[in-house]
Amino acid sequence: NYGKDIVCSAVSSIVITTINGIISIDNEAIYYENKNDKLVLEVKKDDLVTRKLIDNMIELLCDLAKNYPKNIKIKEGV
């Protein structure tokens, strides 16, 4: 489907960049696992930088979900 590849690339880029950014600052700040086509992300240290990076990631993913509702769904706290 049109847009599927672009959405997949955007999601991957947003998530990988965010995770790598957090880990480069503090490799113990988060735990993450790619599990059954879902990203499990657990915040171990809820500091200002980690929170801002995660909030930014969620905002970007939500924007994608609004523009491509058939290609991406966001579920928080699941």
Side-chain angles (χ1 to χ4, degrees), residues 23-46:
I23 289 172
S24 73
I25 295 166
D26 183 350
N27 65 354
E28 295 179 3
I30 60 170
Y31 165 80
Y32 70 96
E33 182 180 359
N34 199 356
K35 189 176 188 180
N36 299 326
D37 294 330
K38 295 178 185 177
L39 174 68
V40 176
L41 179 63
E42 181 181 347
V43 177
K44 297 287 193 177
K45 295 181 183 177
D46 194 13

Side-chain angles (χ1 to χ4, degrees), residues 19-76:
I19 289 173
N20 287 340
I22 294 169
I23 289 172
S24 73
I25 295 166
D26 183 350
N27 65 354
E28 295 179 3
I30 60 170
Y31 165 80
Y32 70 96
E33 182 180 359
N34 199 356
K35 189 176 188 180
N36 299 326
D37 294 330
K38 295 178 185 177
L39 174 68
V40 176
L41 179 63
E42 181 181 347
V43 177
K44 297 287 193 177
K45 295 181 183 177
D46 194 13
D47 59 49
L48 181 63
V49 173
T50 301
R51 177 59 32 214
K52 283 187 175 190
L53 288 169
I54 290 174
D55 287 348
N56 183 66
M57 176 184 72
I58 292 169
E59 183 177 333
L60 291 168
L61 293 173
C62 287
D63 286 346
L64 276 176
K66 286 178 191 172
N67 291 319
Y68 299 94
K70 293 181 181 179
N71 301 99
I72 178 173
K73 292 181 178 39
I74 307 295
K75 293 181 182 181
E76 291 184 60

Side-chain angles (χ1 to χ4, degrees), residues 6-31:
I6 211 165
V7 174
C8 183
S9 295
V11 169
S12 295
S13 178
I14 291 166
V15 171
I16 291 169
T17 299
T18 301
I19 289 173
N20 287 340
I22 294 169
I23 289 172
S24 73
I25 295 166
D26 183 350
N27 65 354
E28 295 179 3
I30 60 170
Y31 165 80

